[in-house]
Amino acid sequence: MHGIVPGGGLSPDGKRWVSCKPGFFLSVRVLSRLFRRRFLEALEQAHHSGKLQFFGDNADLADPKAFARWLAPLRKIEWVVYAKRPFAGPEAVLAYLSRYTHRVAIANSRLVAMDERGVTFRWKDYRDKSNPDRPRHKTMTLAADEFMRRFLLHVLPMGFHRIRHFGLIANNGRRDKLALVRELLNVVTAVSSVQAANANAATDEPARPNFVCAHCGAQMFVVESFVRGQTIRAPPIARGGL
């Protein structure tokens, strides 16, 4: 789970911007203890529901009392939570999150082939550092059912939402609130293409056509569009004698 929290908010009367205090907006100590409590509670719930299995030297932990004694010391030690400023700034964080929130599990460009052996796709081996000059992009072939199983791991269950908006960016009044925040912070926004088009339409000068014939100067109309060449996604046709 990822979240983006603004460094401040609007005052109750909506007339000024209230910035957060300098430094971390969230106490690392509070975060570590909250994570410890939630993690141990989920671990206990999994044990009570029979989702945990123990083998070998840890077989005794199947007993609820033994498991409770094993968890007791973990409630008293401090857990380490890593929290620090991003090296490349907030823009890099937004770019990183957008790759997960606005993309599917695998892009079509990574699909190489699909045949009787399964689905072949490209992947990047980040652990392969044997030869820095050699690209780490490799290919893998999985059976169709295994490929679909891994793909469906990235599909949210029924009732879950990929992105939720609260506060300033909630759907109710988001445009007005963001406009007010930009005004209070003296942030100049770039004029969108739609606003530019509306500005041109408001002038007396007629809009120029997008496509003009180079010979006669008349306006040209799009009759048909051709899709850029794509890789074949269906099983290849077997070649052989007829």
Side-chain angles (χ1 to χ4, degrees):
M1 178 182 296
H2 302 280
I4 299 177
V5 181
L10 291 172
S11 60
D13 56 3
K15 295 183 179 181
R16 60 188 180 90
W17 174 262
V18 181
S19 300
C20 63
K21 297 181 180 180
F24 275 120
F25 76 98
L26 186 62
S27 174
V28 178
R29 181 62 60 84
V30 174
L31 181 62
S32 64
R33 294 181 178 178
L34 175 62
F35 178 78
R36 178 184 62 185
R37 179 176 63 83
R38 298 296 297 272
F39 187 91
L40 295 180
E41 286 178 352
L43 199 61
E44 276 187 326
Q45 184 178 1
H47 187 275
H48 293 332
S49 59
K51 296 181 179 180
L52 300 181
Q53 297 182 2
F54 304 94
F55 307 93
D57 298 337
N58 298 322
D60 296 339
L61 295 179
D63 180 62
K65 294 183 178 179
F67 188 76
R69 290 193 300 268
W70 181 78
L71 284 183
L74 301 180
R75 304 181 187 277
K76 300 179 181 180
I77 61 176
E78 294 292 343
W79 288 35
V80 178
V81 175
Y82 181 82
K84 65 182 303 183
R85 294 180 179 273
F87 294 106
E91 293 81 3
V93 177
L94 294 177
Y96 171 80
L97 292 179
S98 64
R99 289 196 293 268
Y100 294 91
T101 58
H102 293 78
R103 290 178 60 181
V104 294
I106 183 171
N108 292 338
S109 58
R110 293 175 53 192
L111 299 177
V112 178
M114 183 179 68
D115 49 28
E116 64 278 0
R117 297 184 301 123
V119 181
T120 303
F121 57 95
R122 286 190 294 268
W123 66 289
K124 189 173 183 180
D125 188 1
Y126 291 94
R127 296 184 178 181
D128 186 6
K129 300 180 181 180
S130 57
N131 189 356
D133 298 330
R134 184 181 61 185
R136 292 177 290 181
H137 293 279
K138 303 178 181 179
T139 59
M140 179 185 299
T141 301
L142 296 175
D145 55 348
E146 176 61 18
F147 179 83
M148 290 301 301
R149 186 190 70 83
R150 297 191 184 188
F151 183 88
L152 292 177
L153 290 176
H154 300 272
V155 178
L156 294 178
M158 185 68 67
F160 283 73
H161 296 273
R162 184 179 297 273
I163 302 177
R164 287 184 178 271
H165 299 100
F166 298 92
L168 296 175
I169 57 177
N171 293 330
N172 185 16
R174 172 172 53 192
R175 180 179 300 179
D176 296 337
K177 291 180 180 179
L178 291 180
L180 177 59
V181 170
R182 293 189 180 101
E183 180 181 355
L184 295 175
L185 296 177
N186 297 324
V187 176
V188 180
T189 59
V191 179
S192 63
S193 58
V194 176
Q195 292 175 345
N198 295 335
N200 293 332
T203 59
D204 297 335
E205 182 180 355
R208 298 182 59 185
N210 294 330
F211 302 98
V212 179
C213 179
H215 298 281
C216 65
Q219 182 178 359
M220 301 175 63
F221 299 93
V222 178
V223 178
E224 186 176 357
S225 300
F226 297 92
V227 181
R228 184 173 56 184
Q230 299 177 350
T231 57
I232 300 177
R233 301 184 62 183
I237 301 175
R239 296 183 179 179
L242 297 178

